Amino acid sequence: AQGNAHAQCFLGGMHDAGEGGPQDLVEARRLYGLAAAQGHARAQYRLGGMLANGEGGPEDCAEARRLLGLAAAQGDADAQGTLGAMHDDGEGGPQDLVDA
């Protein structure tokens, strides 16, 4: 998976779900982060969710909102929905009912 964003995201999903071995949220978060840094929308969405919920490491709603915004801008419908809810609730930044 070295350098391959799709493979990193896929492997992150396996660690996230505990497929093929024990669940490892820390490793899932690391792998999603590698893929997200390369612009992989699904990894940005999944990492954003982990950050928003404090899974596999500390909660960081501001970074979650940023990543979800990147994924949403690429057309990820799940990210768009989650980002809208964060804007509506003021989670990770100011409440923004226009963008919600």
Side-chain angles (χ1 to χ4, degrees):
Q2 186 176 7
N4 184 313
H6 181 74
Q8 290 165 336
C9 184
F10 184 81
L11 188 55
M14 291 184 72
H15 282 284
D16 197 357
E19 295 175 10
Q23 184 181 43
D24 186 345
L25 296 179
V26 173
E27 182 63 5
R29 187 165 162 164
R30 185 186 78 79
L31 288 163
Y32 288 150
L34 291 173
Q38 295 176 65
H40 193 281
R42 198 64 186 168
Q44 291 167 338
Y45 165 70
R46 290 188 173 172
L47 179 58
M50 293 187 85
L51 289 165
N53 297 311
E55 296 173 337
E59 182 179 292
D60 186 344
C61 290
E63 179 64 4
R65 188 165 165 167
R66 185 188 76 79
L67 286 167
L68 290 167
L70 293 173
Q74 293 184 66
D76 188 291
D78 293 324
Q80 291 167 348
T82 303
L83 182 62
M86 291 183 83
H87 280 279
D88 188 44
D89 296 338
E91 187 178 0
Q95 185 179 38
D96 187 343
L97 299 179
V98 173
D99 281 343

Coordinates of all heavy atoms in Angstrom, one line a residue:
A1 N 0.8 -1.2 0.0 CA 0.0 0.0 0.0 C 0.9 1.3 0.0 O 0.3 2.3 0.0 CB -0.9 0.0 1.2
Q2 N 2.2 1.1 0.0 CA 3.1 2.2 0.1 C 2.9 3.2 -1.1 O 3.1 2.9 -2.2 CB 4.5 1.7 0.1 CG 5.5 2.9 0.3 CD 6.9 2.3 0.5 OE1 7.2 1.2 0.3 NE2 7.8 3.2 0.9
G3 N 2.4 4.4 -0.8 CA 2.2 5.4 -1.8 C 0.9 5.3 -2.6 O 0.6 6.2 -3.4
N4 N 0.2 4.2 -2.5 CA -1.0 4.0 -3.3 C -2.2 4.4 -2.4 O -2.6 3.7 -1.5 CB -1.1 2.6 -3.8 CG -2.3 2.3 -4.7 OD1 -3.4 2.7 -4.4 ND2 -2.0 1.6 -5.8
A5 N -2.8 5.6 -2.7 CA -3.9 6.1 -1.9 C -5.1 5.2 -1.8 O -5.7 5.0 -0.8 CB -4.3 7.5 -2.4
H6 N -5.4 4.6 -3.0 CA -6.6 3.7 -2.9 C -6.3 2.5 -2.1 O -7.2 2.1 -1.3 CB -6.9 3.2 -4.4 CG -8.1 2.3 -4.4 ND1 -9.4 2.8 -4.2 CD2 -8.2 1.0 -4.6 CE1 -10.2 1.7 -4.3 NE2 -9.5 0.7 -4.6
A7 N -5.1 1.9 -2.2 CA -4.8 0.7 -1.4 C -4.7 1.1 0.1 O -5.1 0.3 1.0 CB -3.4 0.1 -1.8
Q8 N -4.2 2.3 0.4 CA -4.1 2.7 1.8 C -5.5 2.9 2.4 O -5.7 2.5 3.5 CB -3.3 4.0 1.9 CG -1.8 3.9 1.6 CD -1.1 5.2 1.3 OE1 -1.7 6.2 0.9 NE2 0.2 5.2 1.5
C9 N -6.4 3.5 1.6 CA -7.7 3.6 2.1 C -8.4 2.3 2.3 O -9.1 2.1 3.3 CB -8.6 4.5 1.1 SG -10.2 4.9 1.7
F10 N -8.2 1.4 1.4 CA -8.8 0.1 1.5 C -8.3 -0.7 2.7 O -9.1 -1.3 3.5 CB -8.5 -0.7 0.2 CG -9.2 -2.1 0.2 CD1 -10.5 -2.2 -0.2 CD2 -8.5 -3.2 0.5 CE1 -11.1 -3.5 -0.2 CE2 -9.1 -4.5 0.5 CZ -10.4 -4.6 0.1
L11 N -7.0 -0.7 2.9 CA -6.4 -1.3 4.0 C -6.8 -0.7 5.3 O -7.1 -1.3 6.3 CB -4.9 -1.3 3.9 CG -4.1 -2.2 4.9 CD1 -4.5 -3.6 4.9 CD2 -2.6 -2.1 4.6
G12 N -6.9 0.7 5.3 CA -7.4 1.4 6.5 C -8.8 0.9 6.8 O -9.2 0.7 8.0
G13 N -9.7 0.7 5.8 CA -11.0 0.2 6.0 C -11.0 -1.2 6.6 O -11.9 -1.6 7.5
M14 N -10.1 -2.1 6.2 CA -10.0 -3.4 6.8 C -9.6 -3.3 8.3 O -10.2 -4.0 9.1 CB -8.9 -4.2 6.0 CG -9.4 -4.6 4.6 SD -8.3 -5.7 3.8 CE -8.6 -7.2 4.6
H15 N -8.6 -2.5 8.6 CA -8.3 -2.3 10.0 C -9.4 -1.7 10.8 O -9.7 -2.0 12.0 CB -7.0 -1.4 10.2 CG -5.8 -2.1 9.8 ND1 -5.1 -3.0 10.7 CD2 -5.0 -2.1 8.7 CE1 -4.0 -3.5 10.2 NE2 -3.9 -2.9 9.0
D16 N -10.1 -0.7 10.2 CA -11.3 -0.1 10.9 C -12.3 -1.1 11.2 O -12.9 -1.0 12.3 CB -11.8 1.0 9.9 CG -12.7 2.0 10.5 OD1 -13.0 1.9 11.7 OD2 -13.1 2.9 9.8
A17 N -12.6 -2.0 10.3 CA -13.7 -3.0 10.5 C -13.2 -4.3 11.2 O -14.1 -5.1 11.6 CB -14.3 -3.3 9.2
G18 N -11.9 -4.5 11.3 CA -11.4 -5.7 11.9 C -11.5 -6.9 10.9 O -11.7 -8.0 11.3
E19 N -11.4 -6.6 9.6 CA -11.4 -7.7 8.6 C -10.0 -8.2 8.4 O -9.1 -7.5 8.2 CB -11.9 -7.1 7.3 CG -13.4 -6.6 7.3 CD -13.8 -6.0 6.1 OE1 -13.1 -6.0 5.0 OE2 -14.9 -5.4 6.1
G20 N -9.9 -9.5 8.5 CA -8.6 -10.2 8.3 C -7.7 -10.1 9.5 O -6.6 -10.6 9.5
G21 N -8.2 -9.6 10.6 CA -7.4 -9.5 11.9 C -8.2 -8.7 12.9 O -9.3 -8.3 12.6
P22 N -7.6 -8.5 14.0 CA -8.3 -7.7 15.0 C -8.4 -6.2 14.6 O -7.6 -5.7 13.8 CB -7.4 -7.7 16.2 CG -6.0 -8.1 15.7 CD -6.3 -8.9 14.4
Q23 N -9.5 -5.6 15.0 CA -9.7 -4.2 14.7 C -8.6 -3.4 15.3 O -8.2 -3.6 16.4 CB -11.1 -3.7 15.3 CG -11.4 -2.3 15.0 CD -12.8 -1.9 15.6 OE1 -13.0 -2.2 16.8 NE2 -13.6 -1.2 14.8
D24 N -8.1 -2.4 14.5 CA -7.0 -1.5 14.9 C -7.3 -0.1 14.5 O -6.9 0.3 13.3 CB -5.7 -2.0 14.4 CG -4.5 -1.3 14.9 OD1 -4.6 -0.2 15.5 OD2 -3.3 -1.8 14.7
L25 N -8.0 0.6 15.3 CA -8.4 2.0 14.9 C -7.2 2.9 14.8 O -7.3 3.9 14.0 CB -9.4 2.5 15.9 CG -10.8 1.8 16.0 CD1 -11.7 2.4 17.0 CD2 -11.4 1.7 14.6
V26 N -6.2 2.7 15.5 CA -5.0 3.6 15.4 C -4.3 3.4 14.0 O -4.0 4.4 13.3 CB -4.0 3.3 16.5 CG1 -2.7 4.0 16.3 CG2 -4.6 3.6 17.9
E27 N -4.2 2.1 13.6 CA -3.6 1.9 12.3 C -4.6 2.3 11.2 O -4.1 2.9 10.1 CB -3.3 0.4 12.1 CG -2.6 0.0 10.8 CD -1.3 0.7 10.6 OE1 -0.7 1.3 11.5 OE2 -0.7 0.5 9.5
A28 N -5.9 2.2 11.3 CA -6.9 2.6 10.4 C -6.7 4.1 10.2 O -6.7 4.6 9.1 CB -8.3 2.3 10.8
R29 N -6.6 4.8 11.3 CA -6.5 6.3 11.2 C -5.2 6.7 10.5 O -5.2 7.6 9.7 CB -6.6 6.8 12.7 CG -6.7 8.3 12.8 CD -7.1 8.7 14.2 NE -6.8 10.1 14.5 CZ -7.3 10.8 15.5 NH1 -8.2 10.2 16.3 NH2 -7.0 12.0 15.7
R30 N -4.1 6.0 10.8 CA -2.8 6.3 10.2 C -2.9 6.1 8.6 O -2.5 6.9 7.9 CB -1.7 5.4 10.7 CG -0.3 5.7 10.2 CD 0.7 4.8 10.7 NE 0.6 3.5 10.0 CZ 1.2 3.3 8.8 NH1 1.8 4.3 8.1 NH2 1.1 2.1 8.2
L31 N -3.5 5.0 8.2 CA -3.6 4.7 6.8 C -4.6 5.6 6.1 O -4.3 6.1 5.0 CB -4.1 3.2 6.6 CG -3.0 2.2 7.0 CD1 -3.6 0.8 7.1 CD2 -1.9 2.2 5.9
Y32 N -5.7 5.9 6.7 CA -6.6 6.9 6.1 C -5.9 8.3 6.0 O -6.0 9.0 5.0 CB -7.8 7.1 7.0 CG -8.8 6.0 7.0 CD1 -9.6 5.8 8.1 CD2 -9.0 5.2 5.9 CE1 -10.6 4.8 8.1 CE2 -10.0 4.2 5.9 CZ -10.8 4.0 7.0 OH -11.7 3.0 7.0
G33 N -5.0 8.6 7.0 CA -4.3 9.9 6.9 C -3.3 9.9 5.7 O -3.2 10.9 5.1
L34 N -2.7 8.8 5.5 CA -1.7 8.7 4.3 C -2.5 9.0 3.0 O -2.0 9.7 2.2 CB -1.0 7.4 4.3 CG 0.0 7.2 5.4 CD1 0.5 5.7 5.4 CD2 1.2 8.2 5.4
A35 N -3.6 8.3 2.9 CA -4.4 8.4 1.7 C -5.0 9.8 1.5 O -5.1 10.4 0.5 CB -5.5 7.3 1.6
A36 N -5.5 10.3 2.7 CA -6.2 11.6 2.7 C -5.2 12.7 2.3 O -5.6 13.6 1.5 CB -6.8 11.9 4.0
A37 N -3.9 12.6 2.7 CA -2.9 13.6 2.3 C -2.6 13.6 0.8 O -2.1 14.6 0.3 CB -1.6 13.3 3.1
Q38 N -3.0 12.5 0.1 CA -2.8 12.4 -1.3 C -4.1 12.9 -2.0 O -4.2 12.7 -3.3 CB -2.4 11.0 -1.7 CG -1.1 10.6 -1.2 CD -0.8 9.1 -1.5 OE1 -0.7 8.8 -2.7 NE2 -0.8 8.3 -0.5
G39 N -5.1 13.3 -1.3 CA -6.3 13.8 -1.9 C -7.4 12.8 -2.1 O -8.3 13.0 -2.9
H40 N -7.3 11.6 -1.5 CA -8.3 10.6 -1.7 C -9.5 10.9 -0.9 O -9.5 11.0 0.3 CB -7.7 9.2 -1.2 CG -8.5 8.0 -1.6 ND1 -9.6 7.7 -1.0 CD2 -8.3 7.1 -2.6 CE1 -10.1 6.6 -1.5 NE2 -9.3 6.2 -2.5
A41 N -10.6 11.2 -1.7 CA -11.9 11.7 -1.0 C -12.4 10.8 0.0 O -12.9 11.2 1.1 CB -12.9 12.0 -2.1
R42 N -12.5 9.5 -0.3 CA -13.1 8.5 0.6 C -12.3 8.5 1.9 O -12.8 8.4 3.0 CB -13.3 7.2 0.0 CG -14.2 6.3 0.7 CD -15.6 6.9 0.6 NE -16.6 6.2 1.4 CZ -17.8 6.6 1.7 NH1 -18.2 7.8 1.3 NH2 -18.6 5.9 2.4
A43 N -11.0 8.5 1.8 CA -10.1 8.5 3.0 C -10.3 9.8 3.8 O -10.3 9.7 5.0 CB -8.6 8.3 2.6
Q44 N -10.5 10.9 3.1 CA -10.7 12.2 3.8 C -12.0 12.1 4.6 O -12.1 12.5 5.7 CB -10.8 13.3 2.8 CG -9.4 13.6 2.2 CD -9.5 14.5 1.0 OE1 -10.5 14.7 0.3 NE2 -8.4 15.2 0.7
Y45 N -13.0 11.5 4.0 CA -14.3 11.3 4.7 C -14.2 10.4 5.9 O -14.6 10.7 7.0 CB -15.4 10.7 3.7 CG -16.6 10.1 4.4 CD1 -17.5 11.0 5.0 CD2 -16.8 8.8 4.5 CE1 -18.6 10.5 5.7 CE2 -17.9 8.3 5.1 CZ -18.8 9.1 5.7 OH -19.9 8.6 6.4
R46 N -13.5 9.2 5.7 CA -13.4 8.3 6.8 C -12.5 8.8 7.9 O -12.8 8.7 9.1 CB -12.9 6.9 6.3 CG -13.9 6.2 5.4 CD -13.5 4.9 5.1 NE -14.6 4.2 4.4 CZ -14.4 3.0 3.8 NH1 -13.3 2.4 3.8 NH2 -15.5 2.4 3.2
L47 N -11.4 9.5 7.6 CA -10.6 10.1 8.6 C -11.3 11.2 9.3 O -11.2 11.3 10.5 CB -9.3 10.6 8.0 CG -8.3 11.3 8.9 CD1 -7.9 10.3 10.1 CD2 -7.1 11.8 8.2
G48 N -12.0 12.0 8.6 CA -12.9 13.0 9.2 C -13.8 12.5 10.2 O -14.0 13.0 11.3
G49 N -14.5 11.4 9.9 CA -15.4 10.7 10.8 C -14.6 10.2 12.1 O -15.1 10.4 13.2
M50 N -13.5 9.7 11.9 CA -12.7 9.2 13.1 C -12.3 10.4 13.9 O -12.3 10.3 15.2 CB -11.5 8.4 12.6 CG -11.8 7.1 11.9 SD -10.4 6.0 11.6 CE -10.2 5.2 13.1
L51 N -11.8 11.4 13.3 CA -11.4 12.6 14.1 C -12.6 13.2 14.8 O -12.5 13.7 16.0 CB -10.8 13.7 13.1 CG -9.4 13.3 12.6 CD1 -9.1 14.2 11.4 CD2 -8.4 13.4 13.7
A52 N -13.8 13.3 14.2 CA -14.9 13.9 14.8 C -15.4 13.1 16.0 O -15.9 13.7 17.0 CB -16.1 14.0 13.8
N53 N -15.2 11.8 16.0 CA -15.6 10.9 17.1 C -14.5 10.5 18.0 O -14.8 9.7 18.9 CB -16.3 9.7 16.5 CG -17.5 10.0 15.7 OD1 -18.4 10.8 16.2 ND2 -17.6 9.5 14.5
G54 N -13.3 10.9 17.8 CA -12.2 10.5 18.7 C -11.8 9.1 18.6 O -11.4 8.5 19.5
E55 N -12.0 8.5 17.4 CA -11.7 7.0 17.2 C -10.2 6.9 16.8 O -9.8 7.5 15.8 CB -12.6 6.4 16.1 CG -14.1 6.5 16.5 CD -15.0 6.0 15.4 OE1 -14.5 6.1 14.2 OE2 -16.1 5.6 15.7
G56 N -9.5 6.1 17.5 CA -8.1 5.8 17.1 C -7.1 6.9 17.5 O -6.0 6.9 17.1
G57 N -7.6 7.9 18.3 CA -6.8 9.0 18.7 C -7.7 10.1 19.2 O -8.9 10.0 19.3
P58 N -7.1 11.3 19.5 CA -7.8 12.3 20.1 C -8.9 12.9 19.1 O -8.7 12.9 17.9 CB -6.8 13.4 20.4 CG -5.6 13.1 19.7 CD -5.6 11.6 19.4
E59 N -9.9 13.4 19.6 CA -11.0 14.1 18.8 C -10.4 15.4 18.3 O -9.7 16.2 19.1 CB -12.2 14.4 19.7 CG -13.3 15.0 19.0 CD -14.5 15.2 19.9 OE1 -15.1 14.2 20.3 OE2 -14.9 16.3 20.2
D60 N -10.7 15.8 17.1 CA -10.3 17.0 16.5 C -11.4 17.4 15.5 O -11.3 17.1 14.3 CB -8.9 16.9 15.8 CG -8.4 18.3 15.3 OD1 -9.2 19.2 15.2 OD2 -7.2 18.3 15.0
C61 N -12.4 18.1 16.0 CA -13.6 18.4 15.1 C -13.2 19.5 14.1 O -13.8 19.4 13.0 CB -14.7 18.9 16.0 SG -15.5 17.5 16.9
A62 N -12.3 20.4 14.4 CA -11.9 21.4 13.4 C -11.2 20.7 12.2 O -11.5 21.0 11.0 CB -11.0 22.4 14.0
E63 N -10.3 19.8 12.4 CA -9.6 19.0 11.4 C -10.6 18.1 10.6 O -10.6 18.0 9.4 CB -8.4 18.3 11.9 CG -7.7 17.5 10.9 CD -7.0 18.3 9.8 OE1 -7.0 19.5 9.8 OE2 -6.5 17.7 8.8
A64 N -11.5 17.5 11.4 CA -12.6 16.7 10.7 C -13.4 17.5 9.8 O -13.6 17.1 8.6 CB -13.5 16.1 11.8
R65 N -13.8 18.7 10.2 CA -14.6 19.6 9.3 C -13.8 20.0 8.1 O -14.3 20.0 7.0 CB -15.0 20.8 10.1 CG -16.0 21.7 9.4 CD -16.6 22.6 10.5 NE -17.3 23.8 9.8 CZ -18.1 24.6 10.5 NH1 -18.3 24.4 11.8 NH2 -18.7 25.6 9.9
R66 N -12.5 20.2 8.2 CA -11.6 20.6 7.1 C -11.6 19.4 6.1 O -11.8 19.6 4.9 CB -10.2 21.0 7.5 CG -9.3 21.5 6.4 CD -7.9 21.7 6.9 NE -7.2 20.4 7.0 CZ -6.7 19.8 6.0 NH1 -6.8 20.2 4.8 NH2 -6.0 18.6 6.2
L67 N -11.3 18.2 6.6 CA -11.2 17.1 5.7 C -12.5 16.7 5.0 O -12.5 16.4 3.9 CB -10.7 15.9 6.5 CG -9.2 15.9 6.9 CD1 -8.9 14.8 8.0 CD2 -8.3 15.7 5.7
L68 N -13.6 16.8 5.8 CA -14.9 16.6 5.2 C -15.2 17.6 4.1 O -15.8 17.3 3.1 CB -16.0 16.6 6.3 CG -15.9 15.4 7.2 CD1 -16.8 15.6 8.4 CD2 -16.3 14.1 6.5
G69 N -14.7 18.8 4.3 CA -14.9 19.8 3.3 C -14.2 19.5 2.0 O -14.7 19.7 0.9
L70 N -12.9 19.0 2.1 CA -12.2 18.5 1.0 C -12.8 17.4 0.2 O -12.9 17.4 -1.0 CB -10.8 18.1 1.4 CG -9.9 19.2 2.0 CD1 -8.6 18.6 2.5 CD2 -9.6 20.3 0.9
A71 N -13.3 16.4 1.0 CA -14.0 15.3 0.4 C -15.3 15.7 -0.3 O -15.7 15.3 -1.4 CB -14.3 14.2 1.4
A72 N -16.1 16.6 0.4 CA -17.3 17.1 -0.1 C -17.1 17.8 -1.4 O -17.9 17.7 -2.4 CB -18.0 18.0 0.9
A73 N -16.0 18.6 -1.5 CA -15.8 19.4 -2.7 C -15.4 18.4 -3.9 O -15.6 18.8 -5.0 CB -14.6 20.3 -2.5
Q74 N -15.0 17.2 -3.6 CA -14.8 16.2 -4.7 C -16.0 15.4 -5.0 O -15.9 14.5 -5.8 CB -13.6 15.3 -4.2 CG -12.3 16.0 -4.1 CD -11.2 15.0 -3.8 OE1 -10.9 14.1 -4.6 NE2 -10.6 15.1 -2.6
G75 N -17.1 15.7 -4.3 CA -18.4 15.1 -4.7 C -18.8 13.9 -3.8 O -19.7 13.2 -4.1
D76 N -18.0 13.7 -2.7 CA -18.4 12.5 -1.8 C -19.7 12.9 -1.1 O -19.7 13.8 -0.2 CB -17.3 12.3 -0.8 CG -17.5 11.0 0.0 OD1 -18.4 11.0 0.8 OD2 -16.7 10.0 -0.2
A77 N -20.8 12.2 -1.4 CA -22.1 12.5 -0.9 C -22.2 12.3 0.6 O -22.8 13.1 1.3 CB -23.2 11.7 -1.6
D78 N -21.5 11.3 1.1 CA -21.5 11.0 2.6 C -20.8 12.2 3.3 O -21.3 12.6 4.4 CB -20.8 9.7 2.9 CG -21.6 8.5 2.5 OD1 -22.8 8.5 2.5 OD2 -20.9 7.5 2.1
A79 N -19.7 12.7 2.7 CA -19.0 13.8 3.3 C -19.8 15.1 3.3 O -19.9 15.8 4.2 CB -17.7 14.0 2.6
Q80 N -20.6 15.2 2.2 CA -21.4 16.4 2.1 C -22.5 16.4 3.2 O -22.8 17.4 3.8 CB -22.1 16.4 0.7 CG -21.1 16.7 -0.4 CD -21.6 16.5 -1.8 OE1 -22.7 15.9 -2.0 NE2 -20.9 16.9 -2.8
G81 N -23.1 15.2 3.4 CA -24.1 15.1 4.5 C -23.6 15.4 5.9 O -24.1 16.1 6.7
T82 N -22.4 14.7 6.1 CA -21.8 14.9 7.5 C -21.3 16.3 7.7 O -21.5 16.9 8.8 CB -20.6 13.9 7.6 OG1 -21.1 12.6 7.4 CG2 -20.0 14.0 9.0
L83 N -20.8 16.9 6.7 CA -20.3 18.3 6.7 C -21.5 19.2 7.0 O -21.4 20.2 7.8 CB -19.5 18.7 5.5 CG -19.0 20.1 5.5 CD1 -17.9 20.3 6.6 CD2 -18.3 20.4 4.1
G84 N -22.6 19.0 6.3 CA -23.8 19.8 6.5 C -24.3 19.7 7.9 O -24.6 20.8 8.5
A85 N -24.2 18.5 8.5 CA -24.6 18.4 9.9 C -23.7 19.1 10.9 O -24.1 19.7 11.8 CB -24.7 16.9 10.3
M86 N -22.4 19.1 10.5 CA -21.4 19.8 11.4 C -21.6 21.3 11.3 O -21.6 22.0 12.3 CB -20.0 19.5 11.0 CG -19.6 18.0 11.3 SD -17.9 17.6 10.9 CE -17.1 18.3 12.4
H87 N -21.9 21.8 10.1 CA -22.2 23.2 9.9 C -23.5 23.6 10.7 O -23.6 24.7 11.4 CB -22.4 23.6 8.5 CG -21.1 23.8 7.7 ND1 -20.4 25.0 7.8 CD2 -20.4 23.0 6.9 CE1 -19.3 24.8 7.1 NE2 -19.3 23.6 6.5
D88 N -24.5 22.7 10.6 CA -25.8 23.0 11.3 C -25.6 23.0 12.8 O -26.2 23.9 13.5 CB -26.8 21.9 10.9 CG -28.2 22.1 11.4 OD1 -28.7 23.3 11.3 OD2 -28.8 21.2 11.9
D89 N -24.8 22.1 13.3 CA -24.6 22.1 14.8 C -23.5 23.0 15.3 O -23.3 23.1 16.5 CB -24.2 20.6 15.2 CG -25.4 19.6 14.9 OD1 -26.5 20.1 14.8 OD2 -25.1 18.4 14.8
G90 N -22.7 23.6 14.4 CA -21.6 24.4 14.8 C -20.4 23.5 15.4 O -19.6 24.0 16.2
E91 N -20.3 22.3 14.9 CA -19.3 21.4 15.4 C -18.0 21.6 14.6 O -18.0 21.5 13.3 CB -19.8 19.9 15.2 CG -18.9 18.9 15.8 CD -19.4 17.5 15.7 OE1 -20.5 17.3 15.1 OE2 -18.7 16.6 16.1
G92 N -16.9 21.8 15.2 CA -15.6 22.0 14.6 C -15.4 23.4 14.0 O -14.4 23.6 13.3
G93 N -16.3 24.3 14.2 CA -16.3 25.7 13.7 C -17.6 26.4 14.0 O -18.5 25.8 14.6
P94 N -17.7 27.6 13.5 CA -18.9 28.3 13.8 C -20.1 27.7 13.1 O -20.0 27.0 12.0 CB -18.6 29.7 13.2 CG -17.6 29.5 12.2 CD -16.8 28.3 12.7
Q95 N -21.3 27.8 13.7 CA -22.5 27.4 13.1 C -22.7 28.2 11.8 O -22.5 29.4 11.8 CB -23.7 27.6 14.0 CG -25.0 27.0 13.5 CD -26.2 27.2 14.5 OE1 -26.3 28.2 15.1 NE2 -27.0 26.2 14.6
D96 N -23.1 27.5 10.8 CA -23.3 28.1 9.5 C -24.5 27.5 8.8 O -24.4 26.5 8.1 CB -22.1 27.9 8.6 CG -22.1 28.7 7.3 OD1 -23.2 29.1 6.9 OD2 -21.1 28.9 6.7
L97 N -25.7 28.1 9.0 CA -26.9 27.5 8.5 C -27.1 27.6 7.0 O -27.8 26.9 6.4 CB -28.1 28.1 9.2 CG -28.2 27.9 10.7 CD1 -29.4 28.6 11.4 CD2 -28.1 26.4 11.1
V98 N -26.3 28.6 6.4 CA -26.3 28.7 5.0 C -25.6 27.5 4.3 O -26.1 26.9 3.4 CB -25.7 30.1 4.5 CG1 -25.6 30.1 3.0 CG2 -26.5 31.2 5.1
D99 N -24.4 27.2 4.8 CA -23.7 26.1 4.3 C -24.2 24.7 4.7 O -23.9 23.7 4.1 CB -22.2 26.1 4.6 CG -21.5 27.1 3.7 OD1 -22.0 27.5 2.7 OD2 -20.3 27.5 4.1
A100 N -25.0 24.7 5.8 CA -25.6 23.4 6.3 C -26.5 22.9 5.2 O -26.6 21.7 5.0 CB -26.3 23.7 7.6

